[in-house]
Every structure is written in structure tokens, then in C-alpha cells.
Amino acid sequence: MTKDRVLQKNIQPPVADKQPQVLELHGDRRLDNYFWLRDIDNPKVVAYLDAENAYTTAMMQHTETLQTQLYDEMLSRIQETDLSVPYRKDNYYYYSRTEAGKAYRIYCRKQGSLDAPEEVLLDENELAAGHDFFELGVFDISPNHQILAYSFDTSGSERYTLFFLDLNTRHFYPETIADTYFSFCWGNDNQTGFYTKIDTANRPYQLFRHTLGTSTESDELIYHEPDEAYALYVDNTRSQAYILMTLRSSITTEVHYLDANNPRSDFQIIYPRHPGIEYDVDHHSDYFYIVTNEVATNFKLVKTPLTAIAKDNWQTVIPHREDVLLSGISLFANHLVIYERKDGLQTARVQNLSTDDESNIIFPEPTYAFSEGSNPEFNTTILRFNYTSLITPPSVFDYDMETQERELKKQTQVLGGYDLTQYRSEWLMATAEDGTQVPISIVYKQGIKKDGKNPLLLTGYGSYGASYPASFSSTRLTLLDRGVVFAIAHIRGGEEMGRKWYENGKFLHKNNTFTDFIACAEYLINEGWTANTHLAITGGSAGGLLMGAVINLRPDLFQVVVANVPFVDVVSTILDTSLPLSAMEWEEWGNPNDPVYYDYMKSYSPYDNVAAQDYPDLLITAGLNDSRVKYWEPAKWTAKLRELKTDNNILLLKTNMDAGHSGASGRYESLKELAFEYAFILDRLGLV
């Protein structure tokens, strides 16, 4: 045993006080010994978090040199002074850039030509000075390009303060607006702005109309959404003709529209909410285009005349298909871009609205990620999109929708001589316990052998219909170059294989998410990619719930676990309607006030199912100001695991006392957090 290991064994972990709290519902009694950790005003709570942080630091002290090495290695691959690809809007070119030694972005523009002098619009580094945390929310320039509306948060709580800056004089307007969310839009008069306010549970629930230069006390409340299951967002159509107010729950949508040229007028409804009916709206010429799941599980596209928007007038443009998910559309003056998923992979096609001719945008790799880029202009034939894969760095393309030619505008530079031919990615299929084929994206350095000896890091998410992107990460090379295989389990609860893939991983089918992940792990072991003694897993937020559930079910299957801001106290959190993960989440997880859902949620809730058994090595992270997953969930989970687990494996809780759900802000501090996690994984897998 090394000296460091001896020192570790002599360090005693904190032991949280047990203060029994009985929680009773539906005749069921749950005993929560650590309920008291919810009280942040109790000095013992902060003392406990500090003690856990001190213990974590002590237990990881022997890796400090490794952490520095990993940080320096990851930083050395990044082009610190860099420039985004400028995009054009009217007579301006907008872009952002970074400078070496500065943690945040600088937003700029040039007028008329890329050879024109640079105008700095906003320097995040100046705004972040003196703050331990900084995050930009709104960044929205008025239609005449003269006024910048922007907001930021300095706590990690996702409560933003909104400002208005005259870009000609560089003077601020006197009004500031606190407790806003990150959606905003301008009326075409360049004087009227629409913003959303959030309630005590951080739900955007009110829409206000503001006139530039006036007191916010006179702002008009346009809409108040009383239903706690709905959030409110506001945006412009690309045509700039309409402002859309979208009210969205997990399974239901309602959209209202307003003439952007007459921003003092009233919003009109497009289609009243009906439970289970979702839709998104865009505008072109005399029609609204609507992507909806109305009698269309995988969604369809319809259009309706502006003069007769009632559902009876909806005209089908793209019908529903069982084998293709319609992910969304994008409208330009003469083109319709159609985004779809088939057989787990993203596809795109472009339709000429004058001729109905179509072209396909083809992607060559077995697994990849694709998204639309910055396309603010309506009257253009150029579609900008982003492409990446597990081995291809982020790439920005301009695609000519008339000629079908694509131009690579930029590929993110990876310093240090990165050669993608030295790595390989694959698309695999595991068989779930019910026979379902579950996709896995995997990447590794050429030359590894499938002999069961490879360290492997497996991740997944599987909630909210979010498809896990198979995207490139220069920081991941730090693992790949050390022989670690990286894999993504595209489990049910996401939307990779269509809408039913999502629906079969939620509500009373949630256990499919966990058993799919276990099946993927077993497949990778059985196929010789790794062994349980070399297998690490990681997930964050709802992916942290995944981590907690699978180690309760199969603690023997994994050697190392990293759970970032894990949502683990499922029943108690969703019962508490004062929290963000409560009423808004009932349409994702179920309402535990219903005994059927209560029993089912309790059956997989990681906190409620901690058992007296051996667990893998565990690193759990939290953010004190996290508004999505409150700090006490990972803290309570840690305390209960310490009480009940029967092994001598390491259990660490690391709480960022200055951040929220996304962890540290600024690229350098974020890299340090990642270096810490990688050091934990490499250390516990015996790779150092």
C-alpha cells in the first residue's frame, strides 16, 4: 500500500446528524433522517457541506499533481485566442471571440464588411469581474441594430437581471429588470421589448411589455400563466413579421402570436391547449407552418392561412410516418429545411418552395451530431449548420440551398497535432431485457484490443426526450490517449429512435431507462470492450438519477461512478410544488399524489432505495445555488450512502459553494472541475 493510500485510510469522513423526519402519504411512511439538510439557514448545514468539501480535498490530495497535469494537457489543446464564424444580419457581421487568459467571451460586430473596424458590443470579462460566477442570459439586438438588450446572473440561480445599452452612445438606459428568464424579443418599432419574469420556483410564468426608456413600474403584464405545469417563452419568427408567445408543459403546447409591426396590439391564439398535443410555429408568406403531434406520434407538418388559422383549415405538408421522427423545420424566403431522425441518426433535407425540388444533406460517419447554426436572415439561400462527431471537431458549414454546395467555414482547431485517423467511432446495438435494440455510440484510439482489459467510461441521460449528441470533445482526448474507451448509451427516455423511444422511458415505463443502461454495460463487457472492474459511468442531473438508480440495481457492474448534480430524491422533490422539479415535472415523471405514480417513483428513487450493500467508488457533485436540483439532494444521498453502504470504497461529495446547476462558470474554472473528475476516474481505475 502506498503512502498516499495509508493517509487516505486514516482520514475519517464526515458523519451527518440523523434527525428523523417521517413523511407520510397514501398510508405509506418514509423515514428521512437527513431532511434537515434542506435548511440552508441552519449553520450546521453549511458546516456539513464544508466538512464534506474538506474531506474530498484531503482524499484527493494525492492527485493534485495529476489534476494539474490533466488541466494543462486539456488547456494545451484549446486555441485560447479564437474567433467564431461571423454571421450576417442586414448590413452587420456579428461574431464573438476569446482571448488567452480571459475566461469569458467578447461579443463584436463589423458594419458593411469583414474588413471594417471592429465594434465591441459586450465584454463578458468586464461584467464578470469581481464575481465568482457569471452567466449571460439574453443577448438580443433591436431590429435597427442600435439597442442591445442583455441580461446576466452572478449566482448560478438562473435569475437574470436585464439591461439596455445604446450602442451609438454607449450609454445605458436607466431601467433594469430583475428576476427575468432568458427569453426576450423586440417589436419592430425598436422601442418595445417583451420579457418574461420567473416565480419563486424559477418558472417563467409572466410576459411583460416594456417601452424603452420608461419606468418598469408602468410595464404592462400581457399574460400570467397560473398552471404550474407550464413555462412561458417569447421569440420572433425569422421573417420578423410576428412575435410568438409559447406556453409549454412537458406534453402540451399553446402558442399566441402578435404582429411585430404593431407591438402594442393584442396577442391572438393559434390553437388552444389540449392535453398531450404539442406544436411549434413558424411563419412564411401567407401561412403559419406548424409541426405537431396531433394524431401523429412522430409529428407531422401542416400549414394554415393567416386569415383562417383554425384547425379545420390545417393543410398537411408532411404526413406522419411511423419510422421517421420530424424533429423540426426552418423557413427561409424560398426554402423549407426539414430536420428528421431515422434509425437513430439525424437527417436533413431542403425543399425549394417554388419548385418543390428537394436535396438531402448527407453525413458520412456512423454516429454524429448535427444542428442548425446562426441563420438570422430570412432572404437568403445559405443555410448555416454545425456538424461534429466523436472524432470530428466542431465544424461550421454554409450550405447553398440552390446549388447544394457546402462550404466549410471553420473547424475548431485542436492544438497538439490531433490526427482523427488515429481514432475510431462505431454505432453498436445492445439488446435490452425485453428484446429492444439499444444504440451505443463508442469512440476509442486505434489499436485497442477487445480483450476485456480496457478501461471504459459509459455515459447516458434518458429523460425529457433529450437525445444525447455524439459530439467531439478535445478534453476527452485526455482519456482516449490513456487507453480509455468512451461510450454513450442512447437509452429509452431520449428521442434517438423516435417519439415512442421517449414515451417508453417515462411515466410508468421509466425503469426501461435504467435497465437499458445496464444492458448496454453488460453488452460492452460481454463483447470484450471492458470488464466490470474497469468500467466507470457518469451522468448529470437526470443522468445523475440514472447513476443512482443503476448502482442500486447492479452495484457489482461498475467500478467508478461520477454523478453530477444528481436528481436523486425523486418522490420528495416532485411532491414539493415550491421547487422547480415539482409540478412542471408531473408530465415527465408522474404526479406522486396519485398512489400509482407514488409507488412506481418510490420503487426507483435512488435516495429511497439506498441499501445496506457494497457500492462502487463514488464522486457526487452539487451546486449550492442550483435552482434545478437543489444542493440537498446530492448531500442527503451522500449522507445516506455513508450510513448504509457496506464497502470500503471511496465516497466523495464536492459542492461548489459559488455556482449552480452547470457548475463553475468561465472556461478555466470549468476545465479545473473536469480535471478533478478525470483525476478521480483515472485514480480509481488504477491508471495513474
Side-chain angles (χ1 to χ4, degrees):
M1 183 179 291
T2 66
K3 180 180 178 181
D4 289 330
R5 294 290 187 237
V6 172
L7 290 174
Q8 280 184 316
K9 287 182 70 68
N10 292 331
I11 301 171
Q12 295 303 310
V15 177
D17 291 343
K18 293 171 67 173
Q19 300 179 17
Q21 174 87 24
V22 176
L23 306 171
E24 187 169 1
L25 185 65
H26 308 307
D28 179 62
R29 292 167 59 88
R30 289 181 298 133
L31 181 65
D32 189 347
N33 288 322
Y34 305 105
F35 189 88
W36 65 274
L37 285 169
R38 294 165 53 107
D39 184 8
I40 193 60
D41 295 324
N42 182 346
K44 289 186 176 181
V45 172
V46 174
Y48 171 70
L49 298 178
D50 287 340
E52 286 284 2
N53 279 345
Y55 174 71
T56 295
T57 299
M59 293 295 286
M60 289 290 287
Q61 186 175 6
H62 68 288
T63 70
E64 287 180 355
T65 299
L66 174 62
Q67 291 177 49
T68 300
Q69 178 187 345
L70 296 175
Y71 173 82
D72 291 341
E73 193 176 302
M74 292 188 287
L75 183 61
S76 72
R77 293 193 178 97
I78 297 172
Q79 184 73 48
E80 291 189 71
T81 298
D82 204 1
L83 186 74
S84 71
V85 180
Y87 63 86
R88 181 173 177 171
K89 175 64 174 169
D90 300 327
N91 198 36
Y92 288 89
Y93 292 88
Y94 289 91
Y95 59 96
S96 65
R97 57 182 175 84
T98 55
E99 295 181 1
K102 294 184 177 181
Y104 299 95
R105 304 196 73 82
I106 302 168
Y107 293 84
C108 311
R109 71 180 178 185
K110 294 183 177 182
Q111 185 174 6
S113 165
L114 288 173
D115 296 325
E118 177 182 87
E119 178 187 359
V120 174
L121 303 176
L122 195 70
D123 187 339
E124 288 187 338
N125 299 284
E126 294 178 357
L127 297 175
H131 298 288
D132 293 320
F133 181 92
F134 175 85
E135 184 177 60
L136 189 68
V138 166
F139 183 91
D140 203 325
I141 294 174
S142 60
N144 65 3
H145 301 271
Q146 302 305 307
I147 311 295
L148 169 63
Y150 72 92
S151 67
F152 61 84
D153 163 36
T154 57
S155 70
S157 63
E158 299 185 41
R159 305 181 79 87
Y160 299 85
T161 301
L162 183 63
F163 301 85
F164 300 94
L165 176 64
D166 188 315
L167 295 175
N168 290 322
T169 66
R170 302 301 300 182
H171 291 153
F172 285 93
Y173 283 81
E175 65 269 29
T176 61
I177 309 173
D179 295 329
T180 62
Y181 208 54
F182 43 78
S183 68
F184 175 92
C185 70
W186 289 98
N188 288 343
D189 62 355
N190 302 291
Q191 293 294 307
T192 306
F194 296 85
Y195 63 89
T196 56
K197 296 275 280 186
I198 54 180
D199 63 14
T200 56
N202 272 44
R203 176 178 68 99
Y205 75 123
Q206 291 179 328
L207 179 67
F208 283 86
R209 177 161 38 208
H210 175 72
T211 301
L212 202 62
T214 66
S215 169
T216 58
E217 294 181 359
S218 60
D219 287 355
E220 180 184 359
L221 175 60
I222 300 297
Y223 191 89
H224 173 101
E225 176 54 61
D227 192 329
E228 294 176 334
Y230 285 80
L232 188 157
Y233 306 93
V234 63
D235 200 2
N236 300 91
T237 59
R238 180 179 287 117
S239 67
Q240 297 296 306
Y242 293 97
I243 294 167
L244 301 178
M245 176 181 67
T246 301
L247 303 157
R248 190 183 301 278
S249 76
S250 293
I251 61 171
T252 306
T253 315
E254 180 177 287
V255 181
H256 301 239
Y257 69 97
L258 175 72
D259 182 352
N261 290 318
N262 187 14
R264 309 302 302 183
S265 60
D266 296 328
F267 277 89
Q268 306 296 319
I269 195 168
I270 289 181
Y271 182 59
R273 68 188 68 175
H274 291 270
I277 303 301
E278 300 174 62
Y279 67 98
D280 289 297
V281 177
D282 206 346
H283 164 253
H284 187 282
S285 187
D286 297 326
Y287 291 90
F288 281 128
Y289 281 69
I290 303 171
V291 176
T292 180
N293 67 342
E294 193 269 334
V295 196
T297 301
N298 273 335
F299 291 81
K300 63 185 177 183
L301 176 64
V302 301
K303 67 178 183 179
T304 190
L306 299 176
T307 55
I309 61 174
K311 183 175 171 295
D312 291 344
N313 301 308
W314 290 7
Q315 306 165 28
T316 299
V317 178
I318 300 174
H320 173 258
R321 292 150 297 169
E322 288 290 338
D323 61 337
V324 180
L325 172 68
L326 177 59
S327 302
I329 64 165
S330 198
L331 283 161
F332 297 88
N334 199 42
H335 295 90
L336 167 66
V337 184
I338 304 158
Y339 300 113
E340 299 169 327
R341 275 188 178 271
K342 185 174 183 180
D343 298 327
L345 298 175
Q346 295 171 283
T347 62
R349 53 193 172 104
V350 178
Q351 182 182 102
N352 187 303
L353 291 172
S354 299
T355 65
D356 289 334
D357 291 341
E358 282 195 4
S359 62
N360 294 313
I361 303 177
I362 304 299
F363 307 107
E365 297 181 86
T367 179
Y368 54 81
F370 161 82
S371 64
E372 185 171 306
S374 297
N375 293 288
E377 292 205 314
F378 186 67
N379 294 297
T380 182
T381 62
I382 301 299
L383 169 71
R384 176 163 292 175
F385 67 83
N386 306 310
Y387 175 84
T388 182
S389 77
L390 292 173
I391 63 173
T392 301
S395 307
V396 179
F397 287 89
D398 278 355
Y399 179 82
D400 190 312
M401 294 183 282
E402 290 289 342
T403 66
Q404 288 85 59
E405 295 179 356
R406 72 176 75 180
E407 177 187 1
L408 176 62
K409 304 298 290 186
K410 180 179 180 178
Q411 185 173 91
T412 298
Q413 187 174 3
V414 182
L415 304 183
Y418 172 67
D419 179 3
L420 64 81
T421 65
Q422 297 301 305
Y423 305 85
R424 186 178 178 189
S425 66
E426 296 185 39
W427 176 260
L428 309 173
M429 285 288 181
T431 302
E433 63 179 19
D434 63 357
T436 300
Q437 295 294 290
V438 182
I440 303 172
S441 294
I442 195 166
V443 62
Y444 52 92
K445 194 164 187 179
Q446 296 274 25
I448 72 157
K449 298 178 181 179
K450 293 168 62 175
D451 56 7
K453 297 179 181 179
N454 303 302
L456 188 147
L457 178 60
L458 176 65
T459 189
Y461 189 73
S463 292
Y464 302 106
S467 299
Y468 204 118
S471 54
F472 181 82
S473 166
S474 66
T475 58
R476 192 184 299 134
L477 297 176
T478 294
L479 298 180
L480 299 182
D481 288 349
R482 286 172 169 80
V484 178
V485 178
F486 177 78
I488 302 167
H490 300 289
I491 50 186
R492 280 175 282 188
E495 214 165 53
E496 285 90 339
M497 303 296 284
R499 183 66 172 192
K500 290 181 180 178
W501 197 252
Y502 169 41
E503 293 177 351
N504 286 329
K506 64 182 294 191
F507 287 146
L508 301 178
H509 303 291
K510 189 63 197 171
N511 271 317
N512 286 334
T513 301
F514 315 133
T515 55
D516 281 1
F517 190 86
I518 289 170
C520 289
E522 290 176 327
Y523 169 85
L524 293 168
I525 292 170
N526 293 336
E527 291 294 308
W529 289 100
T530 190
N532 64 326
T533 53
H534 306 310
L535 179 56
I537 59 174
T538 183
S541 194
L545 162 64
L546 171 68
M547 297 298 101
V550 299
I551 63 173
N552 280 337
L553 292 170
R554 287 292 306 278
D556 60 300
L557 197 56
F558 315 104
Q559 185 69 27
V560 182
V561 181
V562 177
N564 289 307
V565 291
F567 170 42
V568 286
D569 192 11
V570 179
V571 178
S572 293
T573 292
I574 296 184
L575 278 170
D576 186 348
T577 57
S578 69
L579 301 175
L581 284 173
S582 54
M584 292 184 69
E585 303 297 318
W586 290 349
E587 293 178 347
E588 174 70 22
W589 312 94
N591 183 349
N593 290 297
D594 179 334
V596 173
Y597 284 103
Y598 174 90
D599 290 340
Y600 189 80
M601 294 162 69
K602 183 186 174 187
S603 74
Y604 66 75
S605 171
Y607 182 67
D608 289 298
N609 288 281
V610 172
Q613 61 183 4
D614 288 359
Y615 282 92
D617 290 314
L618 271 159
L619 170 61
I620 301 168
T621 72
L624 186 66
N625 301 320
D626 193 338
S627 62
R628 296 174 183 254
V629 178
K630 293 295 188 178
Y631 73 87
W632 62 71
E633 292 203 42
K636 288 171 55 181
W637 187 38
T638 301
K640 191 170 183 180
L641 281 164
R642 282 209 198 286
E643 175 193 354
L644 295 179
K645 75 189 191 79
T646 54
D647 57 82
N648 293 317
N649 293 327
I650 287 181
L651 168 59
L652 303 180
L653 171 65
K654 185 173 186 284
T655 303
N656 189 322
M657 305 299 280
D658 299 306
H661 196 61
S662 300
S665 67
R667 52 182 176 163
Y668 299 113
E669 291 302 314
S670 295
L671 272 184
K672 289 177 183 176
E673 286 194 340
L674 187 58
F676 184 94
E677 292 178 20
Y678 280 3
F680 178 81
I681 292 170
L682 294 172
D683 178 62
R684 302 320 300 171
L685 287 178
L687 300 178
V688 294

PDB file of all heavy atoms in Angstrom, residues 213-232:
ATOM      1  N   GLY A 213     -36.838  53.177 -22.116  1.00  0.00           N
ATOM      2  CA  GLY A 213     -36.659  54.480 -21.502  1.00  0.00           C
ATOM      3  C   GLY A 213     -37.720  54.858 -20.499  1.00  0.00           C
ATOM      4  O   GLY A 213     -37.675  55.958 -19.947  1.00  0.00           O
ATOM      5  N   THR A 214     -38.655  53.935 -20.221  1.00  0.00           N
ATOM      6  CA  THR A 214     -39.710  54.229 -19.247  1.00  0.00           C
ATOM      7  C   THR A 214     -39.507  53.386 -17.994  1.00  0.00           C
ATOM      8  O   THR A 214     -38.780  52.389 -18.003  1.00  0.00           O
ATOM      9  CB  THR A 214     -41.104  53.939 -19.826  1.00  0.00           C
ATOM     10  OG1 THR A 214     -41.238  52.525 -20.055  1.00  0.00           O
ATOM     11  CG2 THR A 214     -41.304  54.688 -21.143  1.00  0.00           C
ATOM     12  N   SER A 215     -40.164  53.790 -16.940  1.00  0.00           N
ATOM     13  CA  SER A 215     -40.066  53.050 -15.688  1.00  0.00           C
ATOM     14  C   SER A 215     -40.680  51.668 -15.839  1.00  0.00           C
ATOM     15  O   SER A 215     -41.736  51.509 -16.471  1.00  0.00           O
ATOM     16  CB  SER A 215     -40.783  53.815 -14.569  1.00  0.00           C
ATOM     17  OG  SER A 215     -40.908  53.010 -13.412  1.00  0.00           O
ATOM     18  N   THR A 216     -40.044  50.687 -15.239  1.00  0.00           N
ATOM     19  CA  THR A 216     -40.582  49.331 -15.307  1.00  0.00           C
ATOM     20  C   THR A 216     -41.888  49.205 -14.529  1.00  0.00           C
ATOM     21  O   THR A 216     -42.635  48.243 -14.727  1.00  0.00           O
ATOM     22  CB  THR A 216     -39.554  48.319 -14.763  1.00  0.00           C
ATOM     23  OG1 THR A 216     -39.220  48.665 -13.416  1.00  0.00           O
ATOM     24  CG2 THR A 216     -38.296  48.334 -15.613  1.00  0.00           C
ATOM     25  N   GLU A 217     -42.156  50.156 -13.661  1.00  0.00           N
ATOM     26  CA  GLU A 217     -43.417  50.119 -12.912  1.00  0.00           C
ATOM     27  C   GLU A 217     -44.623  50.267 -13.820  1.00  0.00           C
ATOM     28  O   GLU A 217     -45.736  49.865 -13.463  1.00  0.00           O
ATOM     29  CB  GLU A 217     -43.415  51.209 -11.847  1.00  0.00           C
ATOM     30  CG  GLU A 217     -42.380  50.989 -10.739  1.00  0.00           C
ATOM     31  CD  GLU A 217     -42.430  52.074  -9.687  1.00  0.00           C
ATOM     32  OE1 GLU A 217     -43.254  53.003  -9.839  1.00  0.00           O
ATOM     33  OE2 GLU A 217     -41.653  51.995  -8.713  1.00  0.00           O
ATOM     34  N   SER A 218     -44.395  50.859 -14.987  1.00  0.00           N
ATOM     35  CA  SER A 218     -45.503  51.044 -15.931  1.00  0.00           C
ATOM     36  C   SER A 218     -45.577  49.928 -16.966  1.00  0.00           C
ATOM     37  O   SER A 218     -46.407  49.970 -17.873  1.00  0.00           O
ATOM     38  CB  SER A 218     -45.364  52.390 -16.650  1.00  0.00           C
ATOM     39  OG  SER A 218     -44.147  52.448 -17.379  1.00  0.00           O
ATOM     40  N   ASP A 219     -44.707  48.918 -16.839  1.00  0.00           N
ATOM     41  CA  ASP A 219     -44.737  47.802 -17.785  1.00  0.00           C
ATOM     42  C   ASP A 219     -46.068  47.060 -17.701  1.00  0.00           C
ATOM     43  O   ASP A 219     -46.615  46.847 -16.607  1.00  0.00           O
ATOM     44  CB  ASP A 219     -43.596  46.825 -17.509  1.00  0.00           C
ATOM     45  CG  ASP A 219     -42.246  47.381 -17.926  1.00  0.00           C
ATOM     46  OD1 ASP A 219     -42.217  48.481 -18.513  1.00  0.00           O
ATOM     47  OD2 ASP A 219     -41.224  46.723 -17.657  1.00  0.00           O
ATOM     48  N   GLU A 220     -46.558  46.683 -18.852  1.00  0.00           N
ATOM     49  CA  GLU A 220     -47.861  46.025 -18.938  1.00  0.00           C
ATOM     50  C   GLU A 220     -47.708  44.514 -18.831  1.00  0.00           C
ATOM     51  O   GLU A 220     -46.932  43.902 -19.571  1.00  0.00           O
ATOM     52  CB  GLU A 220     -48.524  46.377 -20.272  1.00  0.00           C
ATOM     53  CG  GLU A 220     -49.897  45.743 -20.470  1.00  0.00           C
ATOM     54  CD  GLU A 220     -50.477  46.029 -21.843  1.00  0.00           C
ATOM     55  OE1 GLU A 220     -49.820  46.740 -22.630  1.00  0.00           O
ATOM     56  OE2 GLU A 220     -51.586  45.522 -22.118  1.00  0.00           O
ATOM     57  N   LEU A 221     -48.433  43.929 -17.889  1.00  0.00           N
ATOM     58  CA  LEU A 221     -48.479  42.478 -17.781  1.00  0.00           C
ATOM     59  C   LEU A 221     -49.386  41.959 -18.894  1.00  0.00           C
ATOM     60  O   LEU A 221     -50.593  42.169 -18.880  1.00  0.00           O
ATOM     61  CB  LEU A 221     -49.008  42.048 -16.413  1.00  0.00           C
ATOM     62  CG  LEU A 221     -49.228  40.543 -16.202  1.00  0.00           C
ATOM     63  CD1 LEU A 221     -47.932  39.757 -16.377  1.00  0.00           C
ATOM     64  CD2 LEU A 221     -49.843  40.267 -14.831  1.00  0.00           C
ATOM     65  N   ILE A 222     -48.778  41.278 -19.868  1.00  0.00           N
ATOM     66  CA  ILE A 222     -49.519  40.784 -21.020  1.00  0.00           C
ATOM     67  C   ILE A 222     -50.217  39.464 -20.710  1.00  0.00           C
ATOM     68  O   ILE A 222     -51.357  39.229 -21.098  1.00  0.00           O
ATOM     69  CB  ILE A 222     -48.575  40.584 -22.223  1.00  0.00           C
ATOM     70  CG1 ILE A 222     -47.907  41.911 -22.603  1.00  0.00           C
ATOM     71  CG2 ILE A 222     -49.313  39.998 -23.418  1.00  0.00           C
ATOM     72  CD1 ILE A 222     -48.875  42.961 -23.050  1.00  0.00           C
ATOM     73  N   TYR A 223     -49.478  38.594 -20.001  1.00  0.00           N
ATOM     74  CA  TYR A 223     -50.032  37.256 -19.753  1.00  0.00           C
ATOM     75  C   TYR A 223     -49.461  36.708 -18.457  1.00  0.00           C
ATOM     76  O   TYR A 223     -48.269  36.879 -18.168  1.00  0.00           O
ATOM     77  CB  TYR A 223     -49.696  36.317 -20.920  1.00  0.00           C
ATOM     78  CG  TYR A 223     -50.439  35.003 -20.861  1.00  0.00           C
ATOM     79  CD1 TYR A 223     -51.687  34.872 -21.455  1.00  0.00           C
ATOM     80  CD2 TYR A 223     -49.903  33.904 -20.207  1.00  0.00           C
ATOM     81  CE1 TYR A 223     -52.377  33.667 -21.395  1.00  0.00           C
ATOM     82  CE2 TYR A 223     -50.584  32.702 -20.142  1.00  0.00           C
ATOM     83  CZ  TYR A 223     -51.825  32.590 -20.733  1.00  0.00           C
ATOM     84  OH  TYR A 223     -52.512  31.404 -20.666  1.00  0.00           O
ATOM     85  N   HIS A 224     -50.307  36.055 -17.704  1.00  0.00           N
ATOM     86  CA  HIS A 224     -49.909  35.358 -16.486  1.00  0.00           C
ATOM     87  C   HIS A 224     -50.375  33.922 -16.609  1.00  0.00           C
ATOM     88  O   HIS A 224     -51.564  33.670 -16.821  1.00  0.00           O
ATOM     89  CB  HIS A 224     -50.550  36.021 -15.252  1.00  0.00           C
ATOM     90  CG  HIS A 224     -50.327  35.275 -13.973  1.00  0.00           C
ATOM     91  ND1 HIS A 224     -49.376  35.646 -13.064  1.00  0.00           N
ATOM     92  CD2 HIS A 224     -50.916  34.164 -13.461  1.00  0.00           C
ATOM     93  CE1 HIS A 224     -49.401  34.809 -12.036  1.00  0.00           C
ATOM     94  NE2 HIS A 224     -50.331  33.900 -12.262  1.00  0.00           N
ATOM     95  N   GLU A 225     -49.421  32.979 -16.504  1.00  0.00           N
ATOM     96  CA  GLU A 225     -49.761  31.564 -16.611  1.00  0.00           C
ATOM     97  C   GLU A 225     -49.884  30.969 -15.211  1.00  0.00           C
ATOM     98  O   GLU A 225     -48.886  30.782 -14.511  1.00  0.00           O
ATOM     99  CB  GLU A 225     -48.691  30.820 -17.407  1.00  0.00           C
ATOM    100  CG  GLU A 225     -48.905  29.324 -17.498  1.00  0.00           C
ATOM    101  CD  GLU A 225     -50.281  28.949 -18.025  1.00  0.00           C
ATOM    102  OE1 GLU A 225     -50.611  29.324 -19.165  1.00  0.00           O
ATOM    103  OE2 GLU A 225     -51.039  28.295 -17.265  1.00  0.00           O
ATOM    104  N   PRO A 226     -51.122  30.667 -14.785  1.00  0.00           N
ATOM    105  CA  PRO A 226     -51.312  30.170 -13.418  1.00  0.00           C
ATOM    106  C   PRO A 226     -50.986  28.694 -13.247  1.00  0.00           C
ATOM    107  O   PRO A 226     -50.713  28.250 -12.133  1.00  0.00           O
ATOM    108  CB  PRO A 226     -52.797  30.429 -13.163  1.00  0.00           C
ATOM    109  CG  PRO A 226     -53.425  30.369 -14.523  1.00  0.00           C
ATOM    110  CD  PRO A 226     -52.403  30.899 -15.482  1.00  0.00           C
ATOM    111  N   ASP A 227     -51.019  27.929 -14.341  1.00  0.00           N
ATOM    112  CA  ASP A 227     -50.808  26.490 -14.245  1.00  0.00           C
ATOM    113  C   ASP A 227     -49.324  26.221 -14.022  1.00  0.00           C
ATOM    114  O   ASP A 227     -48.487  26.525 -14.884  1.00  0.00           O
ATOM    115  CB  ASP A 227     -51.295  25.806 -15.524  1.00  0.00           C
ATOM    116  CG  ASP A 227     -51.367  24.296 -15.390  1.00  0.00           C
ATOM    117  OD1 ASP A 227     -50.557  23.728 -14.628  1.00  0.00           O
ATOM    118  OD2 ASP A 227     -52.219  23.672 -16.053  1.00  0.00           O
ATOM    119  N   GLU A 228     -48.999  25.611 -12.883  1.00  0.00           N
ATOM    120  CA  GLU A 228     -47.603  25.399 -12.524  1.00  0.00           C
ATOM    121  C   GLU A 228     -46.893  24.399 -13.420  1.00  0.00           C
ATOM    122  O   GLU A 228     -45.660  24.255 -13.344  1.00  0.00           O
ATOM    123  CB  GLU A 228     -47.513  24.931 -11.066  1.00  0.00           C
ATOM    124  CG  GLU A 228     -47.956  25.987 -10.060  1.00  0.00           C
ATOM    125  CD  GLU A 228     -47.941  25.463  -8.631  1.00  0.00           C
ATOM    126  OE1 GLU A 228     -48.083  24.232  -8.450  1.00  0.00           O
ATOM    127  OE2 GLU A 228     -47.778  26.270  -7.708  1.00  0.00           O
ATOM    128  N   ALA A 229     -47.625  23.715 -14.284  1.00  0.00           N
ATOM    129  CA  ALA A 229     -47.005  22.761 -15.197  1.00  0.00           C
ATOM    130  C   ALA A 229     -46.460  23.431 -16.453  1.00  0.00           C
ATOM    131  O   ALA A 229     -45.755  22.793 -17.236  1.00  0.00           O
ATOM    132  CB  ALA A 229     -48.015  21.684 -15.595  1.00  0.00           C
ATOM    133  N   TYR A 230     -46.764  24.719 -16.650  1.00  0.00           N
ATOM    134  CA  TYR A 230     -46.407  25.404 -17.889  1.00  0.00           C
ATOM    135  C   TYR A 230     -45.340  26.463 -17.660  1.00  0.00           C
ATOM    136  O   TYR A 230     -45.341  27.168 -16.645  1.00  0.00           O
ATOM    137  CB  TYR A 230     -47.632  26.078 -18.516  1.00  0.00           C
ATOM    138  CG  TYR A 230     -48.580  25.114 -19.178  1.00  0.00           C
ATOM    139  CD1 TYR A 230     -49.484  24.374 -18.422  1.00  0.00           C
ATOM    140  CD2 TYR A 230     -48.567  24.918 -20.552  1.00  0.00           C
ATOM    141  CE1 TYR A 230     -50.357  23.465 -19.015  1.00  0.00           C
ATOM    142  CE2 TYR A 230     -49.429  24.020 -21.161  1.00  0.00           C
ATOM    143  CZ  TYR A 230     -50.325  23.298 -20.386  1.00  0.00           C
ATOM    144  OH  TYR A 230     -51.170  22.401 -20.983  1.00  0.00           O
ATOM    145  N   ALA A 231     -44.432  26.581 -18.635  1.00  0.00           N
ATOM    146  CA  ALA A 231     -43.449  27.658 -18.676  1.00  0.00           C
ATOM    147  C   ALA A 231     -43.731  28.521 -19.898  1.00  0.00           C
ATOM    148  O   ALA A 231     -44.288  28.053 -20.900  1.00  0.00           O
ATOM    149  CB  ALA A 231     -42.035  27.099 -18.736  1.00  0.00           C
ATOM    150  N   LEU A 232     -43.337  29.784 -19.824  1.00  0.00           N
ATOM    151  CA  LEU A 232     -43.666  30.764 -20.855  1.00  0.00           C
ATOM    152  C   LEU A 232     -42.385  31.254 -21.523  1.00  0.00           C
ATOM    153  O   LEU A 232     -41.417  31.619 -20.851  1.00  0.00           O
ATOM    154  CB  LEU A 232     -44.421  31.931 -20.212  1.00  0.00           C
ATOM    155  CG  LEU A 232     -45.043  33.013 -21.081  1.00  0.00           C
ATOM    156  CD1 LEU A 232     -46.165  33.707 -20.314  1.00  0.00           C
ATOM    157  CD2 LEU A 232     -44.036  34.063 -21.530  1.00  0.00           C
TER     158      LEU A 232
END
